[in-house]
Amino acid sequence: MKQSAGIMLALLLFGAVGSGWAQEKQDVTVAAALSLKGAFEELALLYEVKHPGERVQFNFAASGVLQRQIEAGAPIDVFASASSREMDELDRQQLLEVASARTFARNRIVLVVPAEGRAALRSMRELRQAAVQRIAIGNPATVPAGRYAEEVLRHANVWDSVRGKLILCENVRQVLDYTARGEVDAGVVFATDAAGVNGIAVAAAAPAASHSPASYQAAMLRGAEHRAAGRAFIDLLLSAEGQAVLKRRGFLAAP
Amino acid sequence: MEPATFFSLRLSLQVATAATVLVLIAGVPAAYVLARRDFRGRDAADVLITLPLVLPPTVTGYLLIVLFGRNGLIGGPLYHWAGWTVMFTWQAAVIASFVVALPLMVKTARAAIEAVDRNLIDASATLGHSEPWTALRVILPLAKRGIVAGAVLAFARALGEFGATLMLAGNIPGRTDTMPLAIYSAATSGDRGRANMLVLLFAGLSALLLYTANRLGRRAV
């Protein structure tokens, strides 16, 4: 008796999970750079108001990590990357629908320090100081913000002297967390990530010329299941309303 | 072998060995006390030790940062006093491995100690032997098989520790990238060749270690 009740319960659970999956199939799935999280969640609400009954599912991670997931066949409709490199590599493997690709925003790179900072920093060059023992950046191999950070540090001619101090993080959030906790003395992140985070102060902004343009691109995947919805989401990014949301979140307009 | 690969391999063995030694030092007495003593808070202590076994490694890692971070409950005073923090060092990887491997030792050793024949323990007491003498000469030798098995499990778990290590020790090439972290880096950055090579090497090494440990364990007991 007890056993059959257990089996019933298991079947019910499977049923619930199963119908949950079935429902998700109606939704457009967007894999997006983690730095887009706040803005995209707001845009999703906008999308769902405009398209009643439809929902947007997100998968946020470092762009490089998402690229690997897409290469491995993740069921994703739209990919929004924080740099063109991931897009180019996916394009080379013919996984993208090139005609749908759009650049929809840009970002800036800033130097952040713990709000209760030990080292008073005003520029990238000052990272060479002995008082600065640890600097968090995204892992340049997978995190676009980390790649830009490397460019910025090279441009400031400090890369070789700060290399031993670098803590390579899996994504921008980890950089912010280590910085806010004071585990590191400084971090390099996107301006939009640093805005409004408790325990973080922006010490300096990197000159636009010191790194390749941090432009965000979105494209539909070849294997996309929800083409109309995917296209509608990309259109929303470029619409006046979408751009207004991105601007309010600190992103710059695409060139 | 590339120097970077050799470093990761050596670091992994170093971290797992150090963690296992600590697990033996802390785990066997803990298992003994949990098995032989009835005290208030025994269940609570058991839950606390076992928790890292069931918590996601990221939660364990987060809690360890709260404890050992530069501004942490233990790490804060330590940094203030010594100017040193364990964060992002290989010792941090040892702490992470120790915490997740400890429950395996305590569970296994406790079960072995509880299974020791009560009559033998009582006989030792009747012959006038003190409790420490009985513990060292009667109970622990009889529970040796369980303790060795616990140590092997702990070593294997420490060798494969990833999540909490990533958070507490970072993933710093040439400093804290143990084999699991190096494999993760290679896989996420799309370096398939290196990932394959590291995976084969690590799987082979782990299998060899477990096989050796099993044989040694059988012979010793």
Side-chain angles (χ1 to χ4, degrees):
Chain A
M1 187 62 212
K2 216 172 183 179
Q3 205 176 1
S4 64
I7 292 171
M8 283 292 284
L9 189 66
L11 284 175
L12 275 173
L13 279 173
F14 272 117
V17 171
S19 60
W21 275 337
Q23 202 167 7
E24 270 173 35
K25 289 214 152 165
Q26 310 295 319
D27 303 334
V28 55
T29 308
V30 178
L34 199 55
S35 48
L36 292 167
K37 191 165 193 265
F40 268 30
E41 277 168 353
E42 201 177 328
L43 285 165
L45 295 178
L46 204 60
Y47 181 92
E48 285 161 15
V49 169
K50 291 184 157 214
H51 303 84
E54 288 184 39
R55 290 190 47 217
V56 186
Q57 293 280 335
F58 286 118
N59 178 11
F60 293 110
S63 300
V65 172
L66 294 173
Q67 181 198 334
R68 302 296 155 218
Q69 292 179 359
I70 291 167
E71 287 169 358
I76 286 163
D77 300 308
V78 174
F79 177 41
S81 162
S83 99
S84 53
R85 186 168 113 174
E86 286 76 21
M87 286 293 178
D88 294 344
E89 285 182 17
L90 288 174
D91 181 29
R92 212 168 304 135
Q93 299 170 61
Q94 307 201 321
L95 290 166
L96 294 183
E97 239 173 56
V98 188
S100 68
R102 299 280 186 277
T103 302
F104 62 92
R106 274 182 308 133
N107 215 333
R108 285 170 301 139
I109 296 292
V110 294
L111 179 68
V112 292
V113 292
E116 295 158 27
R118 293 172 183 80
L121 289 172
R122 284 177 313 277
S123 72
M124 302 284 171
R125 297 190 68 83
E126 291 178 357
L127 290 173
R128 284 182 302 182
Q129 292 174 4
V132 180
Q133 294 170 342
R134 284 175 180 147
I135 307 160
I137 68 169
N139 184 349
T142 49
V143 186
R147 206 148 57 233
Y148 300 129
E150 178 177 340
E151 291 177 11
V152 166
L153 294 173
R154 283 187 189 281
H155 187 267
N157 278 324
V158 296
W159 176 255
D160 289 320
S161 41
V162 303
R163 243 179 135 155
K165 305 176 178 183
L166 294 178
I167 307 292
L168 303 184
C169 297
E170 293 315 309
N171 56 54
V172 176
R173 298 284 155 193
Q174 203 186 354
V175 177
L176 290 171
D177 187 54
Y178 280 148
T179 311
R181 288 180 177 282
E183 300 303 344
V184 296
D185 303 296
V188 183
V189 293
F190 285 128
T192 53
D193 292 316
V197 177
N198 280 335
I200 297 256
V202 175
S210 64
H211 58 89
S212 45
S215 49
Y216 287 80
Q217 301 190 327
M220 194 111 95
L221 296 183
R222 273 261 166 94
E225 235 179 287
H226 310 95
R227 317 191 74 81
R231 212 160 280 138
F233 188 80
I234 296 177
D235 286 344
L236 178 67
L237 293 178
L238 296 161
S239 71
E241 281 171 293
Q243 289 289 309
V245 169
L246 288 162
K247 190 180 172 192
R248 201 166 58 242
R249 295 274 176 170
F251 290 92
L252 305 174
Chain B
M1 201 189 292
E2 286 173 61
T5 308
F6 180 74
F7 174 84
S8 293
L9 198 59
R10 207 204 61 194
L11 180 67
S12 273
L13 293 173
Q14 178 182 333
V15 166
T17 306
T20 307
V21 169
L22 292 178
V23 161
L24 275 166
I25 293 172
V28 175
Y32 181 87
V33 170
L34 286 173
R36 301 275 309 146
R37 288 272 196 290
D38 197 4
F39 57 96
R40 271 171 68 96
R42 181 167 77 161
D43 289 339
D46 185 60
V47 166
L48 193 68
I49 290 172
T50 313
L51 215 47
L53 197 63
V54 292
L55 283 179
T58 41
V59 173
T60 308
Y62 182 87
L63 292 174
L64 287 175
I65 290 181
V66 169
L67 278 181
F68 292 101
R70 193 153 76 172
N71 295 316
L73 295 174
I74 300 170
L78 179 72
Y79 184 71
H80 193 72
W81 175 68
W84 181 81
T85 168
V86 74
M87 290 288 295
F88 312 120
T89 63
W90 73 271
Q91 289 94 333
V94 175
I95 293 179
S97 294
F98 167 76
V99 169
V100 297
L102 184 65
L104 292 168
M105 167 59 103
V106 173
K107 288 273 161 204
T108 320
R110 179 180 174 177
I113 290 169
E114 280 171 347
V116 172
D117 190 347
R118 258 225 80 92
N119 291 325
L120 298 176
I121 300 169
D122 291 343
S124 175
T126 314
L127 292 171
H129 293 304
S130 66
E131 183 178 344
W133 195 96
T134 308
L136 288 175
R137 304 300 296 273
V138 179
I139 301 176
L140 291 183
L142 285 170
K144 197 160 92 187
R145 190 185 276 269
I147 293 169
V148 170
V152 170
L153 284 173
F155 186 82
R157 179 65 185 85
L159 201 59
E161 165 45 35
F162 172 74
T165 307
L166 180 67
M167 292 179 80
L168 202 66
N171 183 3
I172 307 173
R175 264 195 291 165
T176 62
D177 60 330
T178 57
M179 283 296 272
L181 296 179
I183 289 169
Y184 177 73
S185 290
T188 51
S189 61
D191 195 344
R192 290 259 172 80
R194 183 169 159 74
N196 288 342
M197 190 266 289
L198 289 172
V199 164
L200 276 176
L201 189 65
F202 191 66
L205 174 83
S206 305
L208 186 72
L209 281 171
L210 282 178
Y211 177 76
T212 315
N214 284 343
R215 300 223 25 173
L216 280 179
R218 225 173 293 146
R219 200 176 314 155
V221 177

